[in-house]
Amino acid sequence: MDAAAASAFAIPPVSVHRPTTAVEDTVTLAAGVWLLTGTYIDGWAHNNLRDLETFFTPWHAILYSGFAVCAVWIAALTWRRRAPGTRWAEAVPAGYGAAVAGVALFLASGAGDFAWHSVFGIEQNISALFSPSHLGLATGAFLILGAPFSAAWHSPTRPWQQLMPAFGSALLAGMVAAFILQEFAVFARHGLIQTFTSTAGTQPAVTVPTSSSIMISLASFLVSTCVLFVPVLLLSLRWRLPAAVPAAMALVPSAALQIMVALRDAWLVPVAFAGSVLVGVVWAVVRPAPDRPARLMTAAGLTPVAFWAPYFAGVALHDGALSFSPEIWAGTLTWAGLGMLALAALALKVRSAPAGS
C-alpha cells in the first residue's frame, strides 16, 4: 500500500475531533433515557404478555423513536463540526466514534429484528435474550449510550460539575448490559438463591439446594456484580466520585429490573435501597480516587459485599430461612468481593503500563 492510500485509510487522531460540551452531552443523555425506557418497556412486554404476534407495538414505537432521536442528534453534532473539504469521519465529535458505529449496528439490527419476527414470530421470556437481532440492538444501544462517558474521558479538564452526563452515561450503558443479562439478575427474582419443596395442600418450604443450583447462583452473583460495579470502577479510574454516584448506580438498575418483571418480588426494591445506602457509606468512608490505588481497590472489593449482604438478609426475613448455609452465602459474598478486587487491580495495572509496552 502506497503512502497516499495509507493516508486515505488512516484513522484520524483524537486531536482532529472537536469535543462536545456538557450541554450537548446532556442532550445525548436525555435521548438515551428515551431509548433505554423503550428497551425496558419492551422487556416488560416480553416478560409479562402472552401471544405477542406483531412487530408493530407501542413499546417498539417507544424503543425505535428513542433510537431515531439519538441517531438524528448524533448526526447533527457531526454535521455542525464538519469543515468544508474535510472527511466526515473527522467531524465525528471526540468520544462519539463508537456511538456512530452503534447507530449503524442498531439500524441494521432493527431491520433484522423485523425480518426475524416475520419468519420466527415474537420471542418471549429467555428466548428473547438469545435472538441475534436483539443482541445486535443491545450492542448498538450500549455503544450509543456510552457516548457522553467516552466524550468526558477525552476531556479530562472538565470541572466535576459538568461530569453528570458522563456519570449518567455509564449508568445507562450498564443498564443495557443488565437488561440483556437479566436471567442472571438476582434482583429480578430471588429464586436464584432459594430452593423450595412442597407437597399437596402445603405451602412451599425452603430446603437444601443442590450443588448445581449453588453454582448457578454463584455465577448469577458474579455476573450481577460485574454488571453493576464495573461501570463504577471505570468512572473511578478517571474521577473521584461523590458517594451518591455508586449508590445510585447500584440502586437504579436493580429497581428497574424488578419493575420490568412486574414487581413480582417488590420487597426486593427496599432491599436494594438498603444495599445502595451501604455502598454509599463504603465510598464515603474509603474515599477512593484515581491517584489512590489502594483505596480504589479497597472500595472495589468492599462494595459488592456491602450491596449483597442486605440481599441475603432480606431473602431470609421474607422466606423465614435461607437455602444456603453460612459457608455458601458468606463464600458468595467473598467471591463477589474478590472478583471486583481482581478487576480493579487489573485495571490499575493496565492504566499504569507504559504506552507501547
Side-chain angles (χ1 to χ4, degrees):
M1 182 182 292
D2 59 25
S7 176
F9 287 99
I11 298 174
V14 173
S15 60
V16 170
H17 301 273
R18 291 171 51 194
T20 50
T21 66
V23 172
E24 289 173 328
D25 287 339
T26 300
V27 176
T28 305
L29 184 66
V33 170
W34 186 342
L35 171 60
L36 188 71
T37 299
T39 301
Y40 271 72
I41 292 176
D42 187 48
W44 172 87
H46 282 280
N47 276 286
N48 299 288
L49 300 182
R50 296 184 180 274
D51 301 324
L52 300 176
E53 297 178 350
T54 177
F55 177 86
F56 299 99
T57 60
W59 34 92
H60 273 181
I62 299 173
L63 171 64
Y64 285 103
S65 62
F67 162 71
V69 171
C70 289
V72 170
W73 174 245
I74 292 172
L77 291 176
T78 302
W79 180 278
R80 291 164 58 183
R81 283 164 172 76
R82 183 173 183 265
T86 61
R87 295 183 297 169
W88 281 104
E90 297 177 358
V92 176
Y96 275 66
V100 172
V103 168
L105 177 59
F106 196 102
L107 187 62
S109 299
D113 195 40
F114 176 77
W116 186 273
H117 291 330
S118 300
V119 174
F120 299 106
I122 306 297
E123 311 93 337
Q124 289 182 283
N125 301 316
I126 194 171
S127 297
L129 304 177
F130 284 81
S131 165
S133 58
H134 284 181
L135 292 174
L137 289 170
T139 304
F142 180 86
L143 295 174
I144 293 169
L145 298 179
F149 166 77
S150 182
W153 191 279
H154 284 85
S155 302
T157 58
R158 284 189 184 183
W160 71 266
Q161 297 91 336
Q162 297 181 12
L163 293 175
M164 291 302 110
F167 299 161
S169 172
L171 170 63
L172 297 187
M175 289 180 69
V176 174
F179 174 86
I180 206 63
L181 294 168
Q182 61 187 264
E183 289 300 318
F184 293 96
V186 295
F187 268 106
R189 64 193 62 79
H190 80 292
L192 285 170
I193 70 167
Q194 293 287 73
T195 303
F196 297 94
T197 184
S198 63
T199 57
T202 64
Q203 292 291 329
V206 177
T207 189
V208 178
T210 64
S211 296
S212 60
S213 66
I214 291 174
M215 297 311 297
I216 290 172
S217 175
L218 175 59
S220 298
F221 273 94
L222 292 177
V223 171
S224 294
T225 295
C226 289
V227 166
L228 291 177
F229 299 118
V230 165
V232 176
L233 173 61
L234 292 176
L235 288 172
S236 302
L237 292 171
R238 193 67 160 176
W239 302 286
R240 182 168 184 168
L241 304 181
V245 172
M249 293 181 71
L251 173 62
V252 174
S254 302
L257 286 166
Q258 186 55 220
I259 292 171
M260 190 178 67
V261 296
L263 294 171
R264 60 189 173 198
D265 290 316
W267 54 273
L268 283 176
V269 176
V271 170
F273 177 78
S276 68
V277 170
L278 291 181
V279 168
V281 170
V282 167
W283 225 257
V285 172
V286 179
R287 293 182 298 169
D291 58 346
R292 294 185 172 183
R295 294 193 178 196
L296 183 53
M297 288 192 293
T298 300
L302 291 178
T303 294
V305 179
F307 187 66
W308 297 128
Y311 181 88
F312 283 106
V315 171
L317 288 173
H318 181 268
D319 293 344
L322 275 179
S323 291
F324 287 176
S325 65
E327 294 87 353
I328 301 301
W329 62 256
T332 300
L333 293 177
T334 303
W335 269 110
L338 289 175
M340 280 307 302
L341 178 63
L343 288 175
L346 179 61
L348 288 166
K349 181 69 174 178
V350 171
R351 188 187 67 173
S352 62
S357 63

